[in-house]
Amino acid sequence: MRKVLLILCVLVLFSACAKQKVVSQPPQADIKPVQQEQVVPKEQKAPEMKLQEAQIQQKEEPKKAKVEEVTPTMIAQAQTPTLETAKEDGVLSKMIHFDFDKYDIKKEYVSVLKEIAEYLKANPDIRILIEGHCDERGTREYNLQLGMRRAESAKKYLVDLGIDEKRIETISYGEDRPLINEQNESAWAKNRRCEFKRIK
Amino acid sequence: MKKVTFFFISFILSVSFAYSLTIEISNPNLRPFKLHISNQKTKNIEFANTLTHYIQLMPNIVLVDDIDSADNSLSFEKRGDNINVNLLFLKTQEMITYEIKKAEDNINTAIRLADMIFEKMTHSSGIFSSNLVFSMNWNGVRQIFLSDISGKKIRKLTDNLTDSIAPKISPQRNYVVYTRYFKTGGTSLRLIDLKNLDDIPIYSSKGLNVAGSFSEEGTKIFFTSYDGKISKIFVYSINDKRLEPIYSSKARLATPVKTFIKNNISFVSDEYGSPQIFLYDIENKKVKRLTYKHNYSTSPSFAPTGTHFVYVAMVSGINKIFASSIDGSDFALLTPIEKGFDDPHWSKNERFIFALSKDVNSSSVYLIDIATLRYVKLFTLPAIISYLNIE
């Protein structure tokens, strides 16, 4: 009986939602909405895929979780700046930046990538990690994927310039590691970036 | 039929657009419930204060001073070392008494009792025993945390040397899956068994591996994996440790989540140029796009009925939460305010949406009543918390 009541309750709730009337114009997105006619059919078929075994790298070991109760005071005290990977100098300290929600390499940063490629050619033993970062706008899980695409764009550019892809690793920190903790366009532009770190 | 019109004047003042919502309420359970708590007898009773704190977290329960305007009255009586909690239905004068023994854990008992009282008052299940997981900076490294919905009982679950992010908790609240970074690139998905505290790797590779959600029965995990060339969605079976790729795309894929629709999951993809939400029938391999109204639609969470979902759309640079039916016919903005939100989650009793909002150096977890859009702040922590997930 309770379940029936609950279902009825939900049905009524949604019928109530259906009757919501927006009196004024709805807020406009800052970018034009996707046009319906640009969209391919609403339903499409996904490609066939094969089963596979879960792969686990050897260095990952099972362990026991160490559970610790924490208080707001402890939390406040633990908010030290995020540990940075080693700061680079020289050409690897340069960064490339991106437009909002984009991961294509801008013309103005081609010279930076060429410099890095030349450096890697001159130092064949060096391997690098490219970190992709985002600004705080958007949602965190999606920004994580965006940061990865940025790192991969930079990697592809370096590979196209003749660098062995095995010498380049990529990772995304999404919006978790901003360069500048401010909420303005200048800070966001600087935070949308790729950093290049030497793998030691 | 009772007709109530809600004018969000304060919201209208603070936003650049105006909304007027007319909600027809035919079911009395959808209205706010008025509760009077007898203050005189609650003095110096720690348990009474704890219980009151939990109950007032519910956006559809309004505490009133005037007993005549209340639906129910809650009073406390000391009986030796024990406490009797009395819930009185003022209309029928029916009373339910709960006896609380002194030795019991105050917080856990208050949570259980709050659920019972909520259920009796509103005829829908309580959500006080829900658990939250999130990641947060801890001395320079992001770790995984587990909390109750009041933020009073927070436990750090990991002590890793590299960042640990994006935790998801199983519906049965017995597992947490999360992503751990490797120092030299690549990530692994790890599973914590909350009973025996085993923390085991379940999948690792170069690139990014991020879990979206557990399946309804809690035995499978949906996650995305991107190796730099192609994005895949996998289903990992916890019991037989089997991995099944179910979808792949050159587009960005994110947040594969359960939908409560048989054999269907939902995910985010930018296949058509901007992030949008899709429904995927795993068995028939059919993909259906669900969102069209905004150019940035992410973070879906489905109602337990499977008929509706909430998601985050970016509007004028602000993350707003919208609710929509699967076919798009029902559509409503749930957060018509300047504040931005992330990680919306539909509560198990279908009445509320949990969501995360951050300020410069703090974060708050909110509970939004989808019938009235009234919202309450459950708790604030002095840190930026991220990747909130709730069951």
Side-chain angles (χ1 to χ4, degrees):
Chain A
M1 186 61 189
R2 193 176 296 150
K3 278 187 180 173
V4 175
L5 277 172
L6 186 63
I7 290 164
L8 280 173
C9 168
V10 170
L11 286 174
V12 171
L13 171 65
F14 287 129
S15 69
C17 288
K19 286 168 185 162
Q20 292 186 355
K21 288 172 189 169
V22 179
V23 171
S24 66
Q25 286 295 310
Q28 295 297 309
D30 47 357
I31 310 165
K32 279 186 178 176
V34 178
Q35 298 296 310
Q36 292 271 356
E37 54 269 30
Q38 291 177 332
V39 173
V40 291
K42 273 189 173 180
E43 280 200 358
Q44 63 179 43
K45 199 90 172 172
E48 290 290 333
M49 300 186 79
K50 289 177 184 172
L51 271 175
Q52 68 182 74
E53 292 297 317
Q55 62 180 79
I56 296 162
Q57 293 188 3
Q58 291 301 312
K59 57 186 173 183
E60 278 287 283
E61 295 294 332
K63 58 179 185 176
K64 281 282 178 191
K66 287 179 187 170
V67 178
E68 183 188 350
E69 292 242 359
V70 299
T71 62
T73 309
M74 292 164 74
I75 291 169
Q77 286 168 351
Q79 298 312 300
T80 52
T82 302
L83 290 182
E84 287 291 331
T85 42
K87 285 280 178 205
E88 298 294 341
D89 50 20
V91 68
L92 289 184
S93 67
K94 295 188 177 181
M95 297 177 199
I96 60 172
H97 298 273
F98 298 82
D99 287 335
F100 173 71
D101 199 33
K102 300 287 184 213
Y103 51 90
D104 49 310
I105 305 294
K106 295 167 82 173
K107 279 182 188 170
E108 61 206 273
Y109 295 109
V110 165
S111 60
V112 173
L113 291 171
K114 283 181 176 170
E115 268 188 81
I116 291 171
E118 288 307 315
Y119 172 78
L120 290 173
K121 283 176 185 170
N123 297 277
D125 294 335
I126 289 179
R127 294 175 66 231
I128 60 166
L129 172 67
I130 305 176
E131 297 177 357
H133 299 269
C134 305
D135 68 32
E136 63 173 358
R137 292 175 301 165
T139 51
R140 214 167 268 261
E141 286 210 0
Y142 190 71
N143 275 340
L144 206 51
Q145 302 295 339
L146 175 60
M148 199 64 200
R149 295 289 169 143
R150 286 176 176 163
E152 284 295 331
S153 286
K155 176 179 176 178
K156 185 174 183 305
Y157 208 96
L158 292 173
V159 170
D160 288 347
L161 288 172
I163 307 301
D164 184 351
E165 66 175 340
K166 289 175 186 159
R167 296 176 63 195
I168 306 169
E169 301 293 342
T170 54
I171 196 61
S172 169
Y173 287 107
E175 59 182 270
D176 283 343
R177 293 175 178 233
L179 267 185
I180 299 169
N181 243 331
E182 291 174 15
Q183 293 169 319
N184 55 61
E185 185 47 58
S186 166
W188 293 330
K190 287 179 178 123
N191 289 337
R192 297 190 296 263
R193 71 199 190 278
C194 275
E195 291 190 28
F196 303 87
K197 303 285 168 73
R198 187 175 165 165
I199 297 175
K200 289 166 183 166
Chain B
M1 189 176 285
K2 199 173 176 182
K3 205 172 193 178
V4 181
T5 303
F6 296 93
F7 290 102
F8 294 93
I9 294 166
S10 60
F11 295 158
I12 290 166
L13 288 174
S14 64
V15 294
S16 56
F17 52 91
Y19 270 85
S20 172
L21 305 176
T22 302
I23 301 172
E24 284 190 21
I25 295 179
S26 57
N27 186 319
N29 294 333
L30 296 182
R31 65 187 166 78
F33 294 87
K34 294 176 180 173
L35 177 67
H36 177 267
I37 297 182
S38 173
N39 288 322
Q40 284 182 335
K41 291 178 184 174
T42 61
K43 276 181 186 170
N44 302 321
I45 300 180
E46 190 190 341
F47 178 78
N49 294 334
T50 308
L51 182 67
T52 305
H53 169 78
Y54 281 106
I55 287 174
Q56 68 188 7
L57 290 178
M58 290 296 106
N60 63 336
I61 292 186
V62 178
L63 297 188
V64 293
D65 292 331
D66 177 15
I67 196 165
D68 293 333
S69 67
D71 299 300
N72 297 75
S73 163
L74 201 62
S75 61
F76 301 82
E77 288 175 80
K78 268 198 160 181
R79 289 284 175 94
D81 285 344
N82 297 343
I83 300 167
N84 279 3
V85 180
N86 303 312
L87 176 67
L88 178 65
F89 291 77
L90 291 162
K91 201 171 176 182
T92 61
Q93 289 297 302
E94 178 198 354
M95 190 160 85
I96 302 170
T97 298
Y98 304 91
E99 188 181 302
I100 310 299
K101 290 178 181 168
K102 192 193 174 187
E104 290 186 36
D105 172 353
N106 262 358
I107 291 181
N108 280 334
T109 309
I111 286 172
R112 283 189 287 120
L113 185 55
D115 269 341
M116 290 178 201
I117 290 171
F118 184 85
E119 194 170 320
K120 288 289 178 196
M121 281 183 68
T122 68
H123 306 288
S124 56
S125 60
I127 57 166
F128 294 94
S129 52
S130 300
N131 277 168
L132 292 73
V133 282
F134 52 85
S135 60
M136 177 170 68
N137 175 19
W138 191 263
N139 295 324
V141 180
R142 280 170 179 76
Q143 305 289 357
I144 305 299
F145 295 80
L146 175 74
S147 170
D148 71 341
I149 70 160
S150 76
K152 277 185 177 296
K153 201 168 185 176
I154 301 174
R155 283 175 287 167
K156 185 160 77 71
L157 296 182
T158 58
D159 194 20
N160 292 326
L161 297 175
T162 51
D163 278 356
S164 302
I165 61 162
K168 304 290 180 295
I169 187 165
S170 64
Q172 293 70 27
R173 300 190 285 268
N174 52 348
Y175 288 113
V176 171
V177 63
Y178 69 97
T179 297
R180 181 186 171 190
Y181 284 81
F182 295 139
K183 274 186 180 169
T184 54
T187 52
S188 71
L189 274 182
R190 296 187 67 102
L191 185 69
I192 301 175
D193 183 330
L194 291 174
K195 282 179 187 157
N196 60 25
L197 299 180
D198 284 340
D199 179 344
I200 57 164
I202 58 171
Y203 183 79
S204 65
S205 68
K206 288 186 175 181
L208 201 55
N209 303 297
V210 185
S213 85
F214 282 82
S215 58
E216 291 161 52
E217 73 287 354
T219 57
K220 291 175 181 170
I221 298 164
F222 304 113
F223 72 94
T224 55
S225 181
Y226 176 62
D227 60 3
K229 292 181 177 66
I230 198 155
S231 289
K232 289 179 183 172
I233 296 175
F234 287 97
V235 183
Y236 177 79
S237 299
I238 294 171
N239 295 336
D240 55 14
K241 298 186 172 62
R242 234 165 67 132
L243 192 66
E244 188 181 354
I246 55 170
Y247 188 76
S248 71
S249 173
K250 287 185 176 173
R252 277 176 281 175
L253 299 177
T255 328
V257 293
K258 64 179 183 285
T259 61
F260 302 96
I261 305 168
K262 195 179 178 190
N263 291 326
N264 278 254
I265 62 163
S266 178
F267 60 81
V268 177
S269 168
D270 69 343
E271 195 156 352
Y272 303 131
S274 69
Q276 299 296 338
I277 295 165
F278 294 79
L279 189 67
Y280 178 50
D281 183 333
I282 297 170
E283 204 164 279
N284 297 313
K285 302 195 183 312
K286 281 186 177 170
V287 189
K288 185 183 177 187
R289 180 171 164 176
L290 297 181
T291 50
Y292 288 91
K293 289 186 166 67
H294 300 96
N295 211 33
Y296 192 106
S297 304
T298 61
S299 308
S301 173
F302 277 67
T305 51
T307 57
H308 288 67
F309 63 103
V310 284
Y311 64 98
V312 174
M314 201 195 303
V315 180
S316 302
I318 298 172
N319 288 350
K320 293 182 178 292
I321 299 175
F322 290 84
S324 174
S325 58
I326 299 292
D327 63 6
S329 58
D330 268 355
F331 180 76
L333 170 64
L334 299 186
T335 55
I337 52 175
E338 286 284 354
K339 188 178 277 298
F341 290 90
D342 200 351
D343 299 328
H345 290 281
W346 216 299
S347 71
K348 280 185 173 179
N349 68 6
E350 300 166 15
R351 175 71 188 245
F352 307 117
I353 305 297
F354 291 96
L356 178 66
S357 187
K358 64 174 185 178
D359 289 314
V360 179
N361 292 312
S362 65
S363 311
S364 302
V365 178
Y366 285 84
L367 198 55
I368 303 162
D369 184 343
I370 51 178
T372 63
L373 299 194
R374 182 170 179 255
Y375 62 93
V376 294
K377 192 189 287 183
L378 292 176
F379 63 88
T380 297
L381 291 181
I384 299 298
I385 66 175
S386 51
Y387 305 102
L388 180 73
N389 184 252
I390 296 154
E391 287 288 357

